[in-house]
Each structure stands twice: as C-alpha cells, then as structure tokens.
Amino acid sequence: MTAGAALARLRAVPPSVAIAALVALLLVLSAAGAPLLAPFDPTDIRTFNLADSEIPPLFAADGDPRFLLGTDNQGRDMLSAILYGARVSIAIGSAAVTTAMLIGVTLGLVAGYSGGRIDAAIMRVGDVILSFPTILLALLVAGLARALLPGADSARLAPFVLVGAIAVHDWVQYARTVRAATMVESAKDYVKAARVIGLPSARILLRHILPNVAGPVLVIATIHLAGAVLTEATLSFLGVGMPPTYPSLGTLIRIGNEFVFSGIWWIATLPALTLVILVLAVNVVGDWLRDRFNPKLRGRR
Amino acid sequence: MIAVLASRLVQGLLVMLTVTALAFLMFRFVGDPVQTMSREDATPQEKAELRASLGLDLPVPLQYARFVARVVQGDLGISYRNQRPVARLIAERLPATMELVLAATLLALAFGIPLGVLAALRPDGVVARSVQALSLIGISTPTFVTGIALILVFAVGLKLVPSFGRGEVVALGWWSTGYLTASGLKSLVLPAITLSLFQLTLIMRLVRSEMIDVLSTDYIRFARARGLPRAYVHYRLALRNALMPVITVTGLQIGQLIAFAIVTETVFQWPGMGLLFIQAVGFSDIPVMSAYLLFVGALFVALNTLVDLVYVLVDPRLRTSLA
C-alpha cells in the first residue's frame, strides 16, 4: 500500500472510531507507563498511610491535593492504583488473547489441513467447550487451580491461572474460523503445487496458508480483547482473580464494593469507570474493524 | 429435521458425558476431601475410616461407576462446607435463581422486542441511533458494574428498593417464591434489571437486524404495494417472521443467564445457586462445584433440545418436512 492510499484509508475512519482508538491508545500507554506516571507504588504497602485513608477525590469536597483521585480504605492512592490496575488488566487480557489465538490458530490449521479424525476430534472438543458460558468455565478453571495449586491466588501465580481460565474457552472461535479458511485455501492450486514439489506440511501451513487466513484472526482478536478484559475483571471481582496486594481493575472494584453502602463511592466507581471506558473504546474499534475488513462476519455475533 | 434433532441429542449426550467425567475427576482428584472434612488433630485411623466411608479406597473406575450411579439416582454427595446433602442445597437455592432468571428474561423480551422493532422501522431516527449507542455501552459494561451503579443510585441514594437479599418468601410446597410478597417483589427489581441488560441488548440487536431483513423481502414489498395497513404489514406479517430466531436465542440465553446469575447474585447477595457456587469455589467445596456443573450441563442440554422442538412447532415448513 502506498502512503497516499494509507492516508486515504485513514481519512475514511469515522470520527467516533478515531476518538475510541485514541482513548484506547492513551489508556494502554498510560497503563504501560504506570511505574513512571503513578505518584505512588500501590503494590508497596510501605507507601500507604492509614491516616490518609478514605480521602475523597480532589474534585469532590474535602479532597487532598496529594491524592488526585482520593485514597482507598488503606490509604492507597487511587490514581496510582487505577494506573497499575489497568496495567494488570490489560496485560492479562492481552496474554489471554495471545494464548487463545496461538492455540486456536494452531489447532484450526491442523484440523483444516489434515481433516478426518483429527479434525473431528478437535472440533467436537470445541463444540463441548462452546456449550458452556465463558464465565462459568473460567470460574471452574480458577476454582480448580485454587484447589490443586497451593498459592494459586498469590500475585505470582494468579495471572497465569487467569490467562488459562480465559483462554480455555476463547481458542475455539479462532480454531473454527481458521479451520474453515484453511479448508478453502487447501483446495487451491498454490497449495496443491506446494505439495507436489514436496514441501513439508509444517512449511505449507505456516508460510503459505497462514498468511492467507490471518485477516479474520486479527479481527477476532480485537473483539476478544474487550471480552478478555471483562472476564478478568469479573473473576477478580468475584474473588478468584488478582489478590488485593496486586490488584487489577476488577479487584479494586471488589474492594470498593464493600464501601459503597457507607457513601464512599469513589473506591468502586473510579476503577469501574476506567474499565468501562477501556472496554468500550476497544469494542468500538473492534466493531468497526469487523465491518470494515471482514464483511463476511457482519451481523454474525 | 430428525437428523438435526438426532445430532443435537448426540451432542447433548457428549456434553453430559464430558461433564460427568469432569465432575468425577474434580470429585476424586482435586483436593483431599478427607483432609478438608476431618478435624486437624484426627488420627490416621480416623482418617482411614472416613476415607473408607466415602468410598475413596476403591479402584478409580469403580469409583467412577459408583459416582455415575449415584448421580443418576439424584445423590450428589455431601457438601464439605456445611455437611449437608448437595442435592438438597441446590433444591433450596433453585427457586431463587429461577425466579430471578424468569423475571430477567421477561424484562429483556418486554423491552428488547419493541426497541428492536422501532430501531428497524426508523433506522436513522433518534431512537435507533441512541439504541445502537446504548447497546454498545451495554455490552462494554460488566454485570457487576451495572449492579453496583444501580445499588448506588436506587438503594443507597434514593432508598427506593433494598440492595441485597430476596425479601420475604412464601413456601409453595418445596418451592419458595418471592413473587407473592411486596418485599420479595421490591427486592427482585434491581437484580432482575441487572441480569436482563445483557440479554436485552442481544434481543434488541437481533430483532433489529431480523426486521430489516424481513422488511426488504418481496412479500412485504408486495403487501405494501397492495395497500395493506402499515400496522398489519409491520406487526402481523414482518414481526412474526422476525421473531423466529428470537425464540432460539432467548432459549439458549437462559443457560447463559443462569451462569451470569453467579455475578448478579454475588453483587446483590441473592440466595440462589450462583451464590452457592461462588462460595463453593472460595472454599474448594468440590461436591457443590461438581453438582452445580452437572446441573447446569443438564439444563443446557435440555434447553438446547427444547429450543429445537419449539422451532418445529413454530415453523410450519419444518413440520411438513417431518411428516
């Protein structure tokens, strides 16, 4: 694509999508730069001071200029907690999407290319998994991990458990899409030619078929990112995700939820607002990408 | 159609088989029930007795066979946490979840269908545009955030409705209902709205896209050209056909709703199966977890099959191909 064509494409982006993309980018960047941007380290208990607890945000009455968005029940700076929390949420969401994508694309390629029993086995497993809602399966995986692994709820292991819990459901859609596309591509002449000249299957799959089925995969990944961040937040909110010592946005909302009744609204509301804005921005971009680059997927959801 | 039903049944059996195997594996290999159930200072002999009384000393395949036999008879084991039969615990919690899910489904249908129709009839109108924008916000807001927001506004702020629990219930045989008391109905409002929003969005989008499809078909254009009344064309001819997929989705979504009820029930401390399950997850109460899994699995299979049957009843074309 020439530079001119790229510019023309950019101009075709509706303003709402451009704003959403900008917001998403801004959130991701500030979350990634949390250690540089945040005034405090919310994971370091020594920086908390109980005397500073439950201070409202600056824009409300009785705010404290040291704490722009107020503090939580332990005197933790909310702005820092939200920045770090968004970092954890985005990192786990992206890791879950990547894991699901790698598993799904691999199994989809194998199923579509080899066909027969391998194909049937992979797809039946997928059918069974899809007959359960994401959140139920994720809760089961998280619950089992807690029972099996000591310290599964620790800050070190919990992210891996969460990634597994989300990816166990999400790979199926990649596998289905890639399988269908692989079957179509496999029947084409260039693949037949590659086979005739004796290229190994792995090379045919990775170098010849994969680039031709990658488009829809990236669209699904964007839409799944929003879902993965939501699932992580839900698990953390339910108490089977990130521990309070290393909170994600969901954990912060869980902590704040206990104080909602006493009128201390900011501990739950501010992380919740961040979460909704993040997911909404990603969803807007994802929806647009789906309609723009993959008319086949339009309206199927 | 018979082929579809048969394949549905086969898939349903497959799901149930997987679910029982998973439930059994959880039961048998996750955590040590003896460790969980016995006192801390129990002697090895006491532990061995407990192990034998639970049947944990038998060979694994035999344990699986016994497990399936017991499940089929409705015996789901004993909760580690409160030492009561799991089947009874679930039976106690079932009415609360079902009444919540029913209320949420009715709400979603009552609002989702008219909004979807409106959005389809005037695709560029204010309603359609705001509905589209709202539904995007709807799918981006997690259930628990909606719940907390509703609690903040209507329970803490305006003090209109209670924020947790089920209110007073009336026992009808083994079923306890909150539909018959004022406090029960008031308590139902916020959880039901929270749970319905996701489904409402889905139904709205579905009705809208189906209506748009149907409205552009030849028979609708012909009916319009013939000068039939607008209301007749829109509601009797178009909507009826647009509602077909809504049946499927609503039916299938009831399963999803029961799973999503876990979150809603946690936010509102609603004493249903979801709350039972999440407490079991926190305590590694494997019998309750596996029983819940079995129950939801069976429900999913039943709903899937039921939806297919309803489809045959509603769509005359499928009926003739059956005859």
Side-chain angles (χ1 to χ4, degrees), chain A residues 87 99 150 205 208 297:
Chain A
R87 192 161 91 124
T99 311
L205 279 174
H208 298 267
L297 275 172

Side-chain angles (χ1 to χ4, degrees), chain A residues 85-170:
Chain A
R87 192 161 91 124
V88 174
S89 293
I90 293 171
I92 293 176
S94 323
V97 168
T98 315
T99 311
M101 191 163 74
L102 286 178
I103 298 173
V105 170
T106 311
L107 290 179
L109 280 174
V110 170
Y113 191 71
S114 46
R117 274 200 200 150
I118 302 174
D119 176 32
I122 294 175
M123 288 299 115
R124 284 302 85 73
V125 172
D127 287 347
V128 171
I129 285 182
L130 275 197
S131 54
F132 287 94
T134 323
I135 189 69
L136 181 62
L137 213 58
L139 269 171
L140 270 175
V141 172
L144 288 181
R146 286 172 157 242
L148 284 172
L149 302 169
D153 51 351
S154 69
R156 217 161 48 81
L157 273 182
F160 295 101
V161 173
L162 284 166
V163 167
I166 299 167
V168 78
H169 187 274
D170 280 359

Side-chain angles (χ1 to χ4, degrees), chain B residues 80 126 146 172 182 185 189 201 206 209 224 232 258 283 285:
Chain B
Y80 295 161
V126 185
T146 322
L172 300 173
L185 287 175
V189 176
T201 317
L206 190 68
S209 71
R224 277 182 177 156
Y232 182 82
I258 288 173
F283 194 78
D285 193 345

Side-chain angles (χ1 to χ4, degrees), chain B residues 39-63:
Chain B
R39 287 174 290 115
E40 276 195 12
D41 55 345
T43 63
Q45 203 202 336
E46 279 174 335
K47 283 187 179 169
E49 276 168 17
L50 186 59
R51 194 173 292 277
S53 78
L54 292 171
L56 293 175
D57 52 346
L58 299 169
V60 172
L62 193 59
Q63 284 189 41

